Amino acid sequence: MQKAGILGLGCYLPPKKLTNSDLEKMVETSDEWITTRTGIKERRIASKEVAASDLGAEASRAAIKDAGLLPEDIDLIITATITPDMAFPATSCIIQDKIGAKNAACFDINAACSGFVFTMVIAQQFVNSGLYNHVLVVGTEKLTSIVDWKDRLTCVLFGDGAGACVVGKSKNRVILSSFMGADGSGGHLLSVPAGGSRLPATEDTVKDRLHFLKMEGNEVFKIAVRIMVDAANKAIKKAGLGRDDISLFIPHQANIRILLAVAKRLGVPQEKIFMNIEKYGNMSAASTAVALVEASQENRIKKGEHVVLVAFGGGLTYGAVVVKW
Ligand code: ACO
């Protein structure tokens, strides 16, 4: 019997690059500090008039084409984003209209950087239950719209981009198992404090820069390594596999030191950890999506091999998915 798997993949990165030396002119930082502390060399910046749905629509068109489908064939669109075009309507609805997926139901999820992994798990349920044939999942972010360009601790980390995947019944690239978790007590470590019902926009919230992303980087760093390793191990075990059965880990790209620490704790060589953080920085929900697309395009995964997608993010949230290619 066929199970939910990956039918098509696509991504879109805005062309404009912001390099570390560009950032040196904006805040007190250096290429050396950013490279050694984070592994990031440059990130993509969407232009002013571009929103998350525009990036997501481009990635979606590519994924639907890659699946050999038409937009009308999509039954459901789930978008993971923390930078929606607006509070509502859902960014998924805006993407649906842009790409002409007129038969699709739509909703968004908010699981920050774990968002794309969570959408894969949700899509898997709809496909395996038989309710929908083709679910389009999208991770899209215009993080540069919520970055405080005066805060050197955060502004060097983030970038814009989108990745998408069509999930449907498949013989190949099958989703074998998954794990999702959350720890709301760590919510304060990563947030945009204002703009919701707790602190609606006022002159004061704008003056106090509360509409920008705030992060306690050191705390997040420590937790990230532990929960990514835990999530990956749980999903691998659920698939009835062991660590050595995994050919490639595709983790959320937050910081190269986190990725290296994860490799060490998992007990796998660095070559088994996919990394593209150097080119894009942290794109939250789009990071894992774009990494999956690039790993596939670069033929890093052979037919029959096992891959683990693993992520953590604001919420705190964390999760992993095992795919048999
Ligand atoms: N350039 C130069 N110096 C800087 C910069 C900068 N951009 N930023 C901070 N510094 C300075 C600090 O002020 C500090 O100086 P001090 O020693 O004089 O006080 C020094 O560098 C060290 O600062 P730390 O905060 O200790 O640096 P650290 O090594 O922890 O790196 C970083 C900071 C990169 C943010 C790291 O903590 C990290 O990557 N954390 C994880 C972040 C993350 O994973 N976020 C993902 C989730 S995002 C989401 O869910 C949307």
Side-chain angles (χ1 to χ4, degrees):
M1 201 177 75
Q2 293 189 13
K3 290 265 190 187
I6 297 170
L7 300 180
L9 290 166
C11 68
Y12 179 76
L13 285 316
K16 190 175 171 212
K17 293 175 184 172
L18 185 76
T19 65
N20 290 350
S21 57
D22 294 331
L23 279 164
E24 283 174 356
K25 295 173 200 124
M26 296 163 64
V27 286
E28 202 187 324
T29 190
S30 65
D31 173 45
E32 199 266 332
W33 192 95
I34 302 171
T35 307
T36 53
R37 298 286 179 132
T38 72
I40 303 165
K41 280 291 191 188
E42 58 189 34
R43 65 291 288 142
R44 301 297 177 93
I45 307 285
S47 47
K48 214 172 168 195
E49 68 283 2
V50 169
S53 71
D54 300 306
L55 305 172
E58 291 290 346
S60 298
R61 286 188 192 100
I64 293 168
K65 191 169 171 216
D66 188 47
L69 296 171
L70 295 170
E72 296 87 327
D73 298 324
I74 301 298
D75 305 306
L76 174 67
I77 302 174
I78 315 168
T79 300
T81 185
I82 52 165
T83 47
D85 288 24
M86 56 194 93
F88 72 92
T91 300
S92 290
C93 293
I94 304 171
I95 291 175
Q96 182 222 36
D97 186 44
K98 280 190 204 296
I99 66 174
K102 55 179 190 245
N103 299 314
C106 298
F107 61 86
D108 291 356
I109 69 148
N110 179 338
C113 306
S114 312
F116 185 72
V117 168
F118 278 31
T119 60
M120 294 276 287
V121 181
I122 301 167
Q124 180 201 20
Q125 311 314 307
F126 279 113
V127 170
N128 281 347
S129 72
L131 192 62
Y132 291 127
N133 291 322
H134 302 124
V135 181
L136 172 69
V137 298
V138 189
T140 183
E141 299 287 8
K142 189 184 183 188
L143 286 180
T144 57
S145 66
I146 57 165
V147 155
D148 185 347
W149 294 105
K150 289 190 171 159
D151 176 12
R152 68 176 181 169
L153 240 180
T154 51
C155 77
V156 301
L157 302 175
F158 299 101
D160 303 330
C165 172
V166 180
V167 178
K169 288 237 161 87
S170 174
K171 279 193 214 131
N172 306 313
R173 303 194 288 184
V174 172
I175 301 169
L176 293 185
S177 68
S178 64
F179 173 78
M180 295 193 290
D183 176 6
S185 71
H188 62 284
L189 298 173
L190 272 161
S191 68
V192 175
S197 56
R198 176 73 57 197
L199 275 181
T202 62
E203 271 179 44
D204 283 344
T205 62
V206 172
K207 189 164 55 64
D208 295 340
R209 309 185 78 72
L210 296 178
H211 295 272
F212 293 121
L213 187 152
K214 312 283 176 201
M215 182 177 73
E216 289 181 34
N218 285 321
E219 275 309 301
V220 175
F221 194 107
K222 281 181 243 159
I223 301 168
V225 176
R226 180 173 48 80
I227 58 180
M228 284 225 278
V229 170
D230 188 47
N233 280 333
K234 285 194 166 123
I236 293 168
K237 196 171 170 204
K238 272 172 128 180
L241 300 170
R243 184 197 57 193
D244 296 340
D245 297 315
I246 308 303
S247 303
L248 190 66
F249 290 83
I250 304 180
H252 170 51
Q253 311 280 311
N255 183 316
I256 199 162
R257 290 184 294 142
I258 293 178
L259 301 184
L260 296 177
V262 165
K264 200 170 165 197
R265 253 208 212 194
L266 278 170
V268 301
Q270 255 182 60
E271 307 79 71
K272 280 198 177 185
I273 307 282
F274 186 83
M275 297 186 205
N276 62 5
I277 188 166
E278 188 181 334
K279 298 188 284 180
Y280 307 126
N282 180 347
M283 299 183 287
S284 189
S287 267
T288 329
V290 171
L292 174 65
V293 177
E294 291 199 338
S296 170
Q297 286 170 350
E298 292 167 19
N299 289 320
R300 291 283 301 273
I301 323 157
K302 307 275 176 299
K303 197 169 164 8
E305 288 184 344
H306 295 103
V307 185
V308 174
L309 285 174
V310 55
F312 76 96
L316 300 172
T317 57
Y318 45 101
V321 164
V322 179
V323 180
K324 182 172 185 185
W325 219 249

